[in-house]
Amino acid sequence: MPHFTEATTHYWQQFLPPEAAPQAAPASQAGPWRLGYPARLPDGRILMLPIRPLAAEPHHAVASLLVNQASMEVVRVLSRMLGEALAPLAPDLVMGLPTLGLSLAPGVAESLGHSRYVPLGYSRKFWYEEPLSTAVHSITSPTPGKRVYLDPHLLPLLQGKRVALVDDTLSTGTTMAATWDLMERLGVQVVGCGVAMLQGERWRQKLGPQRTQQAVGVLRSPLLRAVPEGWALRD
């Protein structure tokens, strides 16, 4: 059995009350954790996240959030809270990043009073254009060659609008930065980005100081390393 891990079947289905986990201790005193990491929502409730070793580095792990496997109640709450966090940026449109950002973007848009959102996709249709795409990869999907595409029929919706990018997680920041760059090359005004989970701190370097100030999230989770007792904070 891999180092302190288990099936994720029962994860992401409900929130736990604030007393289910102690108030956050200083980073030097936090953990180790065994199977799950207690991520705290802005209202104090807890969402337990399963700890998953990285395939290429099994002695390193992340606390995972797969919103397309979460209960509808969890998705509704995360979407609403993310919409509230993005509201000060006053976006005219929400753009969902594939794949998991598309589970959140409709609810975020609705919470902001919008009637629609703009989806990006990984699957290239025959009428898509290469200039309306960019290469991406992530910490959990590192295989090179993946591209994200904007349907050219949606481009007129973005012209002259203030757009917020929505995804499930910010970890390395690579996918978000590439998408942000693409939108700016297309003349789109990106006012910021929002995610359900801010994972670690490495994304800050990739986005840079200005974009980091325009990034918001609902939950925070650390990067982890294996220790005899379970998983501890990773430097």
Side-chain angles (χ1 to χ4, degrees):
M1 178 178 179
H3 182 80
F4 291 105
T5 189
E6 65 178 349
T8 60
T9 310
H10 63 284
Y11 283 94
W12 317 302
Q13 301 308 304
Q14 62 181 342
F15 297 109
L16 302 177
E19 59 269 22
Q23 292 296 320
S28 60
Q29 302 175 23
W33 300 275
R34 290 280 177 115
L35 301 172
Y37 173 79
R40 193 173 296 274
L41 275 70
D43 63 7
R45 286 182 291 172
I46 301 296
L47 183 62
M48 192 64 67
L49 305 177
I51 296 174
R52 311 305 294 170
L54 299 177
E57 301 175 275
H59 58 292
H60 288 162
V62 294
S64 174
L65 174 61
L66 297 180
V67 292
N68 63 348
Q69 296 182 23
S71 70
M72 290 180 283
E73 173 63 14
V74 166
V75 174
R76 277 195 296 267
V77 170
L78 294 178
S79 297
R80 173 178 56 80
M81 289 184 170
L82 184 51
E84 292 170 353
L86 284 169
L89 300 177
D92 300 315
L93 274 174
V94 167
M95 173 176 285
L97 277 63
T99 300
L100 299 184
L102 300 180
S103 295
L104 296 164
V108 172
E110 187 174 35
S111 74
L112 291 168
H114 301 172
S115 61
R116 70 180 302 170
Y117 77 103
V118 173
L120 297 176
Y122 287 139
S123 175
R124 180 176 182 174
K125 311 304 180 185
F126 69 83
W127 64 89
Y128 283 12
E129 302 169 4
E130 200 69 13
L132 301 186
S133 72
T134 188
V136 297
H137 70 274
S138 69
I139 190 172
T140 53
S141 301
T143 304
K146 183 182 292 185
R147 299 187 71 84
V148 65
Y149 292 90
L150 172 68
D151 188 323
H153 296 145
L154 298 177
L155 185 57
L157 296 176
L158 304 173
Q159 295 171 342
K161 298 293 179 63
R162 296 166 53 84
V163 175
L165 307 178
V166 167
D167 206 354
D168 63 322
T169 301
L170 259 179
S171 184
T172 64
T174 302
T175 294
M176 185 64 73
T179 305
W180 202 318
D181 289 344
L182 171 63
M183 291 302 112
E184 290 191 342
R185 289 199 301 271
L186 298 177
V188 177
Q189 183 183 1
V190 179
V191 297
C193 68
V195 295
M197 182 172 68
L198 296 168
Q199 190 173 68
E201 301 293 336
R202 289 188 294 172
W203 57 270
R204 295 177 179 272
Q205 182 176 2
K206 190 66 178 181
L207 291 191
Q210 180 59 48
R211 289 178 176 178
T212 292
Q213 293 179 6
Q214 299 167 265
V216 299
V218 178
L219 304 171
R220 288 185 175 272
S221 72
L223 302 180
L224 304 167
R225 60 183 176 86
V227 296
E229 300 83 6
W231 299 98
L233 294 175
R234 174 181 169 188
D235 296 333

